[in-house]
Amino acid sequence: MSPVKAVLFDRDGTLVEDVPNNADPDRVRPVEGAREALSLLRERGIRTGAVTDQPGVAGGLLTDADVRRVNHRVDELLGPFDVFAVCPHGPDDGCHCRRPQPGMLLWAGGRICTGPAELAVIGSTAADAEAARRAGAHGILVPDGHTRPEEAARADHVAPDLLTAVRALLDGPPKGRVLADERPIRQAFTTGP
């Protein structure tokens, strides 16, 4: 198998706290472990990207400019990201980019010259995992407070948190279905460097 050359993260709920239809950059808050996880990837030369479905644009609840401002804030707090990809369509628009369709992932991978076999996708929903599967990428589900148990049961790979998901990718594609944090127990409960 090819080593992982790039990781795409679902923006809301995976990299930053999920604030539905967020048009306010001041409401962006990184999730626990996001900075460390991204640093681990970047130190190894693994490219990073953020992907996000923003149906509020289609519904008139926020604008493309609002999404760009929030993405810019995410980049300020956690970047630099190599690519951002946005689906501005509603769930019934029939687009090819809204997850679980693979279009946005394939586009983002193409922008950073990474084929599906070398691409990993980390997200918190079944749509993220299914889009990765359809794209031919490696998907890891990191459940959050909104992830349903049946979504985790169907995912190819599940990690308890973002940092564990990233650590599982450092030496190549994930190997087990449920990815375990292999740090010594004391370190697993210690935050910070």
Side-chain angles (χ1 to χ4, degrees):
M1 287 211 158
S2 300
V4 172
K5 292 186 178 174
V7 180
L8 300 177
F9 296 88
D10 177 37
R11 188 189 81 182
D12 302 323
T14 303
L15 282 178
V16 298
E17 292 177 10
D18 189 7
V19 178
N21 300 307
N22 185 15
D24 182 358
D26 291 335
R27 295 183 72 191
V28 174
R29 303 278 183 275
V31 300
E32 185 177 338
R35 285 184 181 97
E36 185 180 352
L38 289 160
S39 290
L40 287 172
L41 293 172
R42 292 176 182 135
E43 287 168 7
R44 297 262 186 117
I46 298 171
R47 301 184 87 175
T48 60
V51 297
T52 183
D53 293 328
Q54 293 296 319
V57 173
L61 301 173
L62 64 160
T63 66
D64 287 328
D66 293 331
V67 175
R68 283 192 302 276
R69 280 192 300 274
V70 169
N71 282 346
H72 180 72
R73 183 65 178 148
V74 172
D75 205 47
E76 285 179 337
L77 293 171
L78 298 172
F81 288 93
D82 297 295
V83 66
F84 273 90
V86 177
C87 171
H89 306 106
D92 300 322
D93 288 347
C95 69
H96 70 282
C97 51
R98 183 177 173 83
R99 290 161 295 167
Q101 296 301 322
M104 183 167 38
L105 304 181
L106 294 170
W107 179 87
R111 294 287 297 173
I112 55 177
C113 301
T114 304
E118 301 166 329
L119 184 66
V121 178
I122 299 176
S124 62
T125 69
D128 297 318
E130 181 60 23
R133 184 180 299 120
R134 290 179 183 185
H138 308 282
I140 300 177
L141 181 75
V142 178
D144 66 7
H146 304 290
T147 309
R148 296 183 313 272
E150 59 271 18
E151 291 178 287
R154 285 193 312 265
D156 290 337
H157 305 286
V158 180
D161 56 60
L162 186 58
L163 205 46
T164 301
V166 165
R167 282 191 178 109
L169 294 171
L170 293 179
D171 294 320
K175 294 172 181 61
R177 192 183 107 60
V178 177
L179 306 175
D181 189 339
E182 296 178 2
R183 291 178 294 167
I185 196 74
R186 197 170 331 126
Q187 286 181 318
F189 293 97
T190 303
T191 57

